[in-house]
Amino acid sequence: MRVFLLLLSLFSLALAQEGPPPDLSPEVFRIARALRCPVCQGESAAESNSGVAQEMRRLIAEMLKEGKSEAEIKSFFVDRYGEWILYEPPRRGVTLWVWVLPFLALALLGAGVFRYFRRPKVELDPEALKRLEAELEGPEETP
């Protein structure tokens, strides 16, 4: 009997989980995936079940019904929360460096590696080479 009650309570908890409302269009979730949830860590407004994310999805659905474009909807959320709300920040200003610096670092690293392996070989004076080899062998023992 206890096992039955435990399974029944687990089943009722599983049914109580709220999924995405079926009345929202896939367009709402596509736009919400590009926006961060303001109160969740690392979740988009489409993935989160927080109240703020649900409200964001509802606002997106209303704006789409009003005929607003995706850019206008994103602009609304940027005005409200700042550019932080966008998962893909715009490529201008300070955020441009975030896009450019990895490629610049790879180019500098490649140039450094290329220069290291292409450096000219230095030829030593044969007399100096013989003298250095004699010094490495150590002093000759004299009887």
Side-chain angles (χ1 to χ4, degrees), residues 18 37-40 45 48-59 81:
E18 284 189 40
C37 172
V39 294
C40 306
S48 175
N49 284 327
S50 71
V52 175
Q54 291 174 357
E55 180 65 17
M56 288 174 70
R57 291 192 298 262
R58 190 189 60 78
L59 283 172
Y81 296 103

Side-chain angles (χ1 to χ4, degrees), residues 2 4 6 9 18 28 31 39 52 54 58 62 68 77 81 89 92 103-104 113 128 136:
R2 288 183 184 177
F4 177 71
L6 179 66
S9 62
E18 284 189 40
V28 171
I31 295 172
V39 294
V52 175
Q54 291 174 357
R58 190 189 60 78
E62 284 181 11
K68 292 188 178 179
F77 285 106
Y81 296 103
R92 66 175 191 276
F103 297 110
L104 186 63
V113 168
L136 286 175

Side-chain angles (χ1 to χ4, degrees), residues 30-38 43-45 56 60 70-92 95 99:
R30 190 183 63 75
I31 295 172
R33 261 186 240 112
L35 301 172
R36 292 179 198 272
C37 172
E43 285 186 319
S44 71
M56 288 174 70
I60 292 169
E70 180 180 346
E72 290 172 328
I73 294 170
K74 285 182 179 178
S75 175
F76 170 79
F77 285 106
V78 167
D79 290 343
R80 184 176 253 183
Y81 296 103
E83 289 185 344
W84 170 86
I85 199 78
L86 299 174
Y87 259 116
E88 188 172 314
R91 295 176 182 147
R92 66 175 191 276
T95 57
W99 292 96

Side-chain angles (χ1 to χ4, degrees), residues 15-26:
L15 289 178
Q17 295 282 329
E18 284 189 40
D23 58 335
L24 295 178
S25 69

Side-chain angles (χ1 to χ4, degrees), residues 87-134:
Y87 259 116
E88 188 172 314
R91 295 176 182 147
R92 66 175 191 276
V94 175
T95 57
L96 178 64
W97 287 104
V98 174
W99 292 96
V100 170
L101 278 178
F103 297 110
L104 186 63
L106 280 175
L108 288 174
L109 179 68
V113 168
F114 180 76
R115 186 173 175 172
Y116 176 78
F117 286 111
R118 296 282 300 174
R119 66 181 175 189
K121 294 180 180 176
V122 177
E123 292 193 26
L124 295 176
D125 181 28
E127 291 295 323
L129 189 59
K130 284 182 184 176
R131 184 174 45 86
L132 288 174
E133 285 175 354

